[in-house]
Amino acid sequence: MSEETPAFRVVGDVSALPDYAFGPRSILWWGNSAFMMIEGTAFVLAAAAYLYIRGKGGHWPPPGVRPPDLLWGGLFTAGLLLSELPNRWLQAKTRQFDLASVRFGVLVMTLAGLALAGVRAVELSHINVRWGVDAYASCIWLLMVLHTTHVVTDLGDTAVLCLWMFTHQPGPSQFSDVNDNCSYWTFVVVTWIPIGFLIYLGPRLL
Amino acid sequence: MGRGLGTSDDEKWRLNLSRVAIALAMASSLGAWGCDSEKRTVDATAPVTAPTGRSDPRLPAYADNKFQQSQGGLYFTWYGCGQCHSQSAQRPQNFSTANFRYGGDIPFLYQSIADGRAGGMPAYKDRVPAQQIWQMASYVKSLPKTNQYLRRREDLDQKGQPTGTTWSGAVR
Amino acid sequence: MSPAQSALFPAAEQAATQFDVLTLMLWICGVMYLVVLLFVALAIWRGARARAAADSPVTEAADPTLSRALAIWSCVVVLGLTALVVGSFFADRSLAAARDRETLVIRATGQQWWWRFAYRTPGGAWVETANELHLPAGRTARVEVGSTDVIHSFWAPPLAGKMDVIPGHANVLDLTPQRIGWYRGTCGEFCGLQHAHMAFDVRVESPADFDRWLAAQATPAAPQSGDPSVARGQVVVTQGQCAECHTIRGTAAAGKAGPDLTHIGSRRSIAAGTLPMSRGGLEGWIEQPAALKPGTNMPAVSLSPSDADAASAYLLSLK
Amino acid sequence: MTAETDLRARGLADRRRRLLAAWADAPGLWGFLTTVDHKRLAARYIVTTMAMLFAAGMLGVDMRLQLAAPDMHRMGPQGYDESFSLHGSTMLFLVSVPVMEAMAMWLVPLMLGQRNMAFPRLNAFSYWMYLEGVLMLWIPHALGFTPDLGWFEYPPLSGPAYAPGHRADVWAQMITFTEVAALCVSVNVVVTIFTMRPPGMTLGRMPLFLWGMLVASFMTVFGLPAVMVVTSMLIADREVATHFFSPSGGGDVLLFQHLYWFFGHPEVYIIFVPGVAFVSSIVETFSRRVVFGYVPMVVAVLAIGVLAFGLWVHHMFAVGLPKMGADFYTAASMAIALPIGVQIFCWIATMFRGRLQLKTPMLWVIGFIVTFVIGGMTGVMTASAPLDLQLTDTYFVVAHLHYVLVGGAIFPLLGAFTYWYPKATGRMMSEVWGRISWALVVVGFNLTFFPMHLLGLMGMPRRIYTYPAEMGWGPLNLLSTVSALITVVGAGIFVLNALLSYWRGRLAGANPWGGSTLEWATPSPPPPYNFDYIPTVDSVAPLWTRDELHALEGLSLDSREVLVTTLVDAKPDNRQKSPKPSLWPLLTALAVGVMFVGSIFSPWPIVWGSVPVAATIVGWFWPTRPRAQRGPLRART
């Protein structure tokens, strides 16, 4: 049993390796993905709770309650899906370190996020039922609050990135940050498809 | 969690003492606020007589105590008080506002329950023991401050509890 | 030790089935455990012998002999588990089979912290009692459990395993008692302050005795005692604060919140198994319920000592 | 020759000086508050969990004293309910899970030959969040409003009508704190293992310890959101009158149990799998043999990770499920005994074929096997739906869960503590006192908990504060209480041994046990930068296969840099900056704490409290780069 550390024999040098990376080669991408996994699990469980309570039978929605209005929900859904176009474009530009396009892109995404948050605010007043009425209402609001939190969080993130990109000289890792933020927005868009279905079409179809 | 804005770094930040102090102060004041109202007395020291007035030494243990209020709510349901004083009854009989006609402190509320009032409120002192009247008075006192949805939520949880003579078994 | 609340002395078909599964488990697991112990002992013994050799550590993980042994071990584990799964499956089947033989319906309602039992008489009426379950030997009783407040669990170990008592859910448990005797059940799910004192007595008796008992329970209260204080006690109980929560059929007492006291004097214990039934016990319970069962919803009623004594005499006389 | 050696030594000294300058913390309080060193944070975590273990253990002793004889009145029902609630909640949420996370935090980078974890500041944030969780439970306890509804808080007992006040909320929000903390470490462990393995450590050459920690972290990622969702729903029911668990409002109280046990069962394995990881390391070192059956061992731990999510219903056999469903879960629950059986076999086989040295850590492993196997077998018994109806919620289950968690996780943990103690402190713990404490704890534990199996079968339910004499449970309970005191004496000796050895223990050197993995290739205790060079490996036991480790250089010596390697075959891919010490994690944790604590009293702090949280997070992640020279918002001078 050795009392001293074993000797090291240097057999190579890593100083020539790049000092940044995109996507799965970057540490932060993995962190981002892991948190998306955690939040995705929470979404799935919230949806499961909705379906469990729905599965108890009875009226859905309860008598006297109108399902959430389709107009504002539809508008939000359309806007959210459309926002994925500039988002994709922006993500591609970050890999080219194209500062002008990236600045333009994050500005567009910030404005899109603000507009969508505005629509969401109106949408919340067209759910047509308060969460404290019964379990149906609680389930709808649970999903709504969960998703809205994500919209607002990512909007905040995008806005701060936007401010930073306009005021500073970004290095490669900052482009990588914008790249990750684009992935996160995609997560927000994709999760809305089942969640929106449960909120808007669930009471009508299920 | 913060995401996106990434692998940032350094720069020494001064210890923001003021923020820490504010946070700690808030936390401890919230804690201190919680204690008395959270007390839970379950032993045999319950009152067997009516309150003697506003300076009765037993009052603080009942006035804002969550446990006693909750017990009072239970008996409120058991004795069918909801038949006249349900949440959907007319104001002020539903106790949703603090303008109690005969006073909103425990001694007055106790008196109303125990001795009855003109206009249909019967006297309960021969039917309900003092301890429970204390608790019901505490409950009624808390009602104007209770969120209406929360009151309904509690009532629903107690729906299976016996409501006077109308009770007919477990909730199915 | 007392077998009254023990799962090791089954007195009903259901508990016997469960006891059989336990026996099967103990045999299979016991043998497996001994094998593991033997292996460990061997490994220590062999390892200690090998310690003398001081060459470098073994870095080759593979070992064909061990691989074969692992395969055999895995097969043994799988076989053992299969036996246990099959055993459980058949036990479950036999528990479910009792459903076709139900001849008696009982409603057990859990409340903080006592049990309300209601029997369906042959005439279709419901007869209510509390904290004491009577069952006819050899017949299958359908116990419908329900809760008025929080989750409890109906558990009489010598008769059968638990059935949770859940607000909003209608659960059913079958009991087919076989041995005549006194047993004890309790609440199996934590339900608040007095979860520890939420027991009930179980009397398994011959069908004839059971029918007599049920007929007696259906009758209104009739004090059976020559004690002069009984008459005073009746006034105290049925016209005072007790009546607001308790029913004594045949008197003015018709409260529904607490246990039915019509035949309380015939029961074995007081306050859901807290005290044995006696005049002194009743008096203590009436005067200081919170001292015996802190947190109980039974309030202290301010009675003079003589009134309390009379009340307990009256209650004890309600056979 | 001498000159060349001298030159190399001077080069090494210079290298160490520069690395130290880049990686050392600031001295004093500032360094304490801002450190992101995984070893410091993990040590802090471990010390805090040990303090919690002591506190919760004392609650256990208190309960044992109350139950020593029938009709005892040391405690009333309120005191007893508070005791078992605090004991269970603390042990599960503030001891078992965090201590395992902390061990991973301490060991994973060292075993990977790395200088820190993937997200050092997240580690710091995690510790502060955890500490707030500790305060969240124990300050209210000191102030007199302890949660009193168990470690599970089923509604409607925990609902607004039956749990007045904020006791139940304190519990629910404490969980949010500790779960956020655990999730942060788990993400860190997963990403560190995925991206920062040393060159050459392909997935097939990862030590079993790392496989265990990886699986446990993944289980945390998928399991813990369930409890956060369900406790949030409970708080919403209590604070803003939602109806998830209100039977008369369309909700269902069983929904709580499904979600809770969807977390709660994996939770057991989140605690147990790291224990397995410790055992694999210890068995390998003290058998002087690579663990037999690498592939079966890895497959087994992966199988546990997957199966654990399919078993939750076996906690709910008594709720009145359809019999078919119950039988399915019986089979699934019993199936998990197979991978565990395979692991037990492989360890014993390794001992059998190796040359066993019965040092204290190995004794703990033997204690583990002998004790845990009983817990596993009683687990198989409770997995049987018909039998479980008799066993659930009795002292049989109390015995079972302590056999599994103490036998299966705490014994390996104490072994691991003894095993890695010299690495962390540079000194050995006393063997003699180690053996004495081992004997007292193992024997005391078994005498405390074995009688409980019988008590359960004799009809003694859990969570009762007293019991009548005529039940005949007195003698066994007395035996159990006396034995608990023996266990406490043993544990006390263990703690004293650890404390005294810190100053008086024999100096350990780098590799006192002759271990095979990379953490033994650095001095004890390791310097802040962990390793002089980046080690590479070409086997699962690198220190046993080579006398001289191959290493790489080229990471910056003057700033914090780590090497990122590829996911499957661990080829060097790129270098990334590693964050420096920062106060932001602490400030963020404080802001989150204010928001969470406030949310117990009103929903509004969630809204206004999110502003400081957002601000501190922005501060945390704000990149320091020069101001823009072009564009509308460029720097103007």
Side-chain angles (χ1 to χ4, degrees), chain A residues 3 13 18 21 29 31-32 34 40-41 51 57 64 74-75 91 95-96 108 119 124 143 147 160 168 181-182 199:
Chain A
E3 291 296 319
D13 191 314
W29 183 89
N32 209 20
T41 309
L51 293 171
L75 203 59
Q91 192 159 28
R95 287 176 178 271
Q96 301 161 10
V108 168
V119 177
L124 291 179
L143 294 175
H147 192 262
V160 173
H168 290 77
N181 186 49
C182 292
I199 292 175

Side-chain angles (χ1 to χ4, degrees), chain A residues 14-29:
Chain A
V14 296
S15 55
L17 294 176
D19 60 0
Y20 67 89
F22 278 84
R25 293 171 55 208
S26 131
I27 292 179
L28 215 67
W29 183 89

Side-chain angles (χ1 to χ4, degrees), chain D residues 87-381:
Chain D
H87 173 81
S89 303
T90 302
M91 285 298 194
L92 266 304
F93 295 110
L94 302 177
V95 176
S96 305
V97 172
V99 80
M100 296 306 176
E101 304 279 359
M103 291 298 278
M105 191 193 284
W106 205 89
L107 282 163
V108 164
L110 288 171
M111 219 175 266
L112 292 175
Q114 280 286 2
R115 302 212 153 126
N116 206 337
M117 287 179 82
F119 305 110
R121 291 184 179 180
L122 203 57
N123 274 343
F125 175 71
S126 166
Y127 176 73
W128 298 121
M129 285 301 284
Y130 162 72
L131 185 64
E132 286 177 2
V134 167
L135 299 177
M136 181 78 204
L137 192 61
W138 285 78
I139 287 182
H141 178 55
L143 292 174
F145 59 111
T146 316
D148 53 0
L149 302 172
W151 82 286
F152 50 95
E153 295 219 336
Y154 284 173
L157 188 59
S158 59
Y162 298 101
H166 293 296
R167 291 169 190 251
D169 305 306
V170 163
W171 174 84
Q173 211 57 302
M174 174 278 291
I175 288 185
T176 315
F177 277 106
T178 56
E179 305 305 73
V180 168
L183 283 170
C184 289
V185 184
S186 300
V187 166
N188 228 334
V189 168
V190 168
V191 178
T192 306
I193 291 180
F194 273 6
T195 63
M196 292 169 67
R197 293 199 308 283
M201 190 186 278
T202 60
L203 287 180
R205 286 186 199 141
M206 256 167 63
L208 292 171
F209 176 89
L210 292 176
W211 276 109
M213 288 304 182
L214 182 66
V215 169
S217 301
F218 261 108
M219 291 170 74
T220 310
V221 163
F222 290 113
L224 261 50
V227 74
M228 293 182 64
V229 166
V230 78
T231 51
S232 303
M233 286 160 87
L234 179 65
I235 293 182
D237 262 21
R238 295 172 50 81
E239 299 300 318
V240 297
T242 54
H243 289 266
F244 298 112
F245 312 125
S246 132
S248 309
D252 191 341
V253 292
L254 285 186
L255 174 59
F256 183 95
Q257 298 189 18
H258 280 295
L259 285 171
Y260 191 77
W261 291 114
F262 183 78
F263 140 82
H265 196 77
E267 160 97 346
V268 176
Y269 292 94
I270 288 169
I271 295 165
F272 168 67
V273 168
V276 166
F278 302 148
V279 171
S280 291
S281 286
I282 295 173
V283 165
E284 176 161 292
T285 297
F286 294 99
S287 300
R288 316 299 307 150
R289 187 197 194 288
V290 175
V291 173
F292 162 74
Y294 182 84
V295 175
M297 287 293 276
V298 171
V299 172
V301 79
L302 290 172
I304 292 173
V306 174
L307 282 173
F309 283 92
L311 315 180
W312 81 92
V313 172
H314 74 214
H315 293 263
M316 298 168 62
F317 280 145
V319 303
L321 296 168
K323 287 270 184 265
M324 264 304 290
D327 288 332
F328 168 78
Y329 283 103
T330 295
S333 307
M334 288 192 184
I336 208 161
L338 179 61
I340 292 174
V342 166
Q343 291 192 317
I344 299 269
F345 178 90
C346 290
W347 291 318
I348 298 178
T350 309
M351 289 156 58
F352 187 83
R353 279 283 199 233
R355 290 186 302 281
L356 199 61
Q357 300 173 328
L358 288 176
K359 297 275 174 60
T360 318
M362 193 61 214
L363 289 178
W364 283 111
V365 167
I366 288 166
F368 152 79
I369 294 178
V370 170
T371 310
F372 169 74
V373 171
I374 294 181
M377 305 237 163
T378 52
V380 168
M381 296 186 194

Side-chain angles (χ1 to χ4, degrees), chain A residues 33-47 146 150 184 187 191 195, chain D residues 221-222 225 229:
Chain A
S33 307
F35 277 103
M36 281 194 249
M37 213 144 67
I38 292 170
E39 286 149 31
T41 309
F43 275 125
V44 169
L45 291 166
L146 260 181
H150 284 74
Y184 193 73
F187 172 73
T191 48
I195 299 290
Chain D
V221 163
F222 290 113
V229 166

Side-chain angles (χ1 to χ4, degrees), chain D residues 386-403:
Chain D
L387 182 55
D388 184 58
L389 298 177
Q390 285 285 24
L391 304 180
T392 185
D393 275 313
T394 69
Y395 263 82
F396 189 91
V397 172
V398 176
H400 160 68
L401 78 93
H402 284 91
Y403 265 82

Side-chain angles (χ1 to χ4, degrees), chain A residues 152, chain D residues 591-592 595 604-617:
Chain A
V152 172
Chain D
V592 174
M595 177 166 91
W604 290 108
I606 296 279
V607 179
W608 59 253
S610 64
V611 175
V613 171
T616 46
I617 290 179

